[in-house]
Amino acid sequence: MNQSANKLQQFPSFMPSLMLFHLAGMETMPCPKSFRWCKLCNLLWNSPKYIFKILLCFLLLSEALWCIFFMESKDELGSLIILILIASTNTVMFRSRKKIKVLLNKLSQVFSISHFTHRYKTLQLSILMYWIFMLIVDSIFLSMLLKLSTFHRLRIKNSHAIPDGLKDPLLVIRYISFVFTVVTLHCVTVSFTSYYCFICKCIKQLFYELESKLEVSIVDNNYKAFLQIYDEITQAMILADSFLGFPAFVIVLTSMFGLFCFGYAFAFSSTQSYIIYLFTITGVMHYFSTLLMVLLPGSVANEAAEMSKETIFSLPGWFPKNYLSVKMNVRQKFKKTFSMTLWKIYVIRKSLLISVLGTLVTYGFLVGTLGTVRNSDT
């Protein structure tokens, strides 16, 4: 554990991602030496793991309860689906928490053996700006949600499924669940998307740096070092896709579902209130940002991988003296295509973003048209 921490400390840009994962209950940060002597401090350091599990269980049970009480409401069912998807993402990432640090160690080793420049300050700044933006958006979203208290109070008071003696306590639980839901959603999505973006940017930078070293390798007639570095980068990419593919798929699916719900509410809402507008706009901003933080970095990393693969296939021509040996190495080890995917179903490309938005618009108009026709018939 200490050796792993020392390796990561050589690259400070890794530490914010690990800290955010630790706050989301992933146990990615070792306990500081100053905390180990005190049982209470040690317990507090490891508390996010237990707090997150309790929070997810509470939120799932409470949302299932609201679905039973308000069966006629589609909003509660949508919230339950999103919570189930977020809980599955958190569970998968918790099981892969060791791979989170293994992948970072792998990338740090590649940067070390290749002597590439690691621009950690730019990555740190971009991730920090993303955190601040998402914190502001989710804070506004939560405040608007709590300001809709009249709607929630009337909904519970007018419900015939809830006994009169339980309406006031359930209203308090309802407000508490709102706060915890937004906090949990923020921690899980922001921690994963920032880590995913960071990994993809590192992979992209490694491939670009490798391309820039081609001329040096040709002059030195050292194709083996070039192929070795390329192999290390592709192994890191394979490792990343092996445990990040499913959470990325779930985050994209959740973002599409959230964008559809909030976009439909914004487009077809008949209520003229700034609270409703801010609530729906911040919801759209949250889910659209998480969608972009998965699709854009993943597509850029795949483009860099494809560019480097083309260079690898052209290597025999750049080393005529070792043409046969280079060609044999390339054909034996590097014929397969490696890329960042969504659970091995979709290869992430920029065109996928257009397809996602087109699907949302198509189904939005379809549902809106069916709703208009149904209202006119009634």
Side-chain angles (χ1 to χ4, degrees):
M1 180 70 73
N2 293 332
Q3 292 179 355
S4 175
N6 291 333
K7 287 181 181 179
L8 294 177
Q9 285 176 358
Q10 296 175 3
F11 297 90
S13 55
F14 292 164
M15 306 311 291
S17 297
L18 290 177
M19 179 58 72
L20 195 60
F21 265 127
H22 185 79
L23 294 176
M26 301 297 172
E27 290 185 315
T28 51
M29 294 291 291
C31 184
K33 293 182 180 180
S34 58
F35 282 19
R36 293 174 188 173
W37 64 272
C38 179
K39 291 184 178 181
L40 180 60
C41 295
N42 196 9
L43 180 63
L44 288 174
W45 182 261
N46 296 320
S47 61
K49 176 180 67 173
Y50 307 106
I51 292 173
F52 245 78
K53 288 182 179 179
I54 295 171
L55 271 180
L56 286 173
C57 292
F58 167 74
L59 292 175
L60 289 172
L61 290 174
S62 63
E63 199 57 50
L65 190 66
W66 302 129
C67 287
I68 295 173
F69 286 150
F70 308 112
M71 289 184 177
E72 72 283 355
S73 176
K74 298 177 182 178
D75 299 341
E76 303 301 335
L77 181 60
S79 300
L80 180 61
I81 292 173
I82 290 177
L83 277 175
I84 292 173
L85 292 174
I86 292 299
S88 65
T89 301
N90 188 74
T91 303
V92 170
M93 291 304 297
F94 180 77
R95 290 178 178 176
S96 305
R97 62 190 183 277
K98 292 182 179 180
K99 292 183 179 180
I100 293 173
K101 289 193 289 186
V102 169
L103 178 57
L104 294 178
N105 280 324
K106 182 77 173 175
L107 290 174
S108 67
Q109 290 173 6
V110 177
F111 276 109
S112 297
I113 64 176
S114 59
H115 304 289
F116 291 161
T117 304
H118 188 229
R119 302 181 181 90
Y120 62 86
K121 290 185 179 179
T122 305
L123 287 173
Q124 275 186 325
L125 182 61
S126 60
I127 291 175
L128 180 61
M129 291 176 64
Y130 171 67
W131 289 354
I132 294 172
F133 171 77
M134 292 299 288
L135 182 61
I136 293 173
V137 169
D138 289 342
S139 299
I140 297 173
F141 177 82
L142 178 59
S143 63
M144 294 300 106
L145 182 60
L146 294 177
K147 283 185 179 180
L148 295 171
S149 57
T150 304
F151 169 75
H152 301 298
R153 190 182 298 111
L154 290 175
R155 198 180 202 182
I156 293 177
K157 294 293 183 183
N158 296 331
S159 175
H160 299 290
I162 303 175
D164 293 336
L166 294 177
K167 289 183 176 179
D168 289 334
L170 285 177
L171 184 61
V172 176
I173 295 175
R174 182 67 164 165
Y175 291 146
I176 295 173
S177 67
F178 283 156
V179 176
F180 286 159
T181 298
V182 175
V183 171
T184 303
L185 185 67
H186 175 85
C187 289
V188 174
T189 56
V190 172
S191 61
F192 174 78
T193 52
S194 59
Y195 177 80
Y196 190 85
C197 177
F198 179 81
I199 293 299
C200 291
K201 292 241 179 165
C202 285
I203 291 174
K204 182 206 76 170
Q205 183 180 340
L206 284 170
F207 279 127
Y208 282 164
E209 291 281 356
L210 183 65
E211 288 287 319
S212 66
K213 302 296 182 182
L214 177 60
E215 293 184 7
V216 178
S217 300
I218 295 172
V219 172
D220 296 339
N221 196 30
N222 188 8
Y223 69 92
K224 292 183 179 180
F226 192 88
L227 290 176
Q228 180 187 0
I229 296 172
Y230 177 78
D231 184 52
E232 293 288 338
I233 300 172
T234 54
Q235 291 302 317
M237 196 172 189
I238 293 170
L239 176 61
D241 189 60
S242 67
F243 74 97
L244 297 178
F246 175 74
F249 173 76
V250 173
I251 290 294
V252 170
L253 191 64
T254 305
S255 300
M256 290 180 64
F257 191 80
L259 279 174
F260 180 81
C261 293
F262 284 101
Y264 181 84
F266 180 78
F268 298 100
S269 177
S270 58
T271 306
Q272 300 293 329
S273 172
Y274 82 95
I275 296 177
I276 298 294
Y277 284 138
L278 275 178
F279 175 68
T280 54
I281 288 173
T282 50
V284 169
M285 291 173 67
H286 171 90
Y287 287 111
F288 189 64
S289 299
T290 55
L291 183 68
L292 291 180
M293 287 293 285
V294 173
L295 295 185
L296 290 184
S299 63
V300 170
N302 287 337
E303 287 177 359
E306 290 177 1
M307 178 188 66
S308 293
K309 187 176 181 181
E310 292 177 359
T311 303
I312 290 296
F313 280 128
S314 68
L315 276 185
W318 293 107
F319 296 93
K321 294 181 180 180
N322 308 99
Y323 180 85
L324 293 178
S325 60
V326 175
K327 188 175 182 179
M328 185 180 299
N329 281 326
V330 170
R331 286 190 173 184
Q332 287 179 349
K333 297 181 180 179
F334 307 110
K335 287 188 68 175
K336 292 184 179 180
T337 301
F338 309 105
S339 55
M340 303 297 289
T341 65
L342 300 178
W343 202 19
K344 307 295 183 182
I345 299 174
Y346 292 104
V347 175
I348 301 176
R349 303 185 189 280
K350 290 181 180 178
S351 58
L352 184 60
L353 178 62
I354 306 299
S355 301
V356 167
L357 296 178
T359 302
L360 291 174
V361 171
T362 302
Y363 280 97
F365 278 114
L366 180 61
V367 173
T369 303
L370 291 175
T372 304
V373 172
R374 184 178 298 175
N375 291 334
S376 63
D377 291 340
T378 55

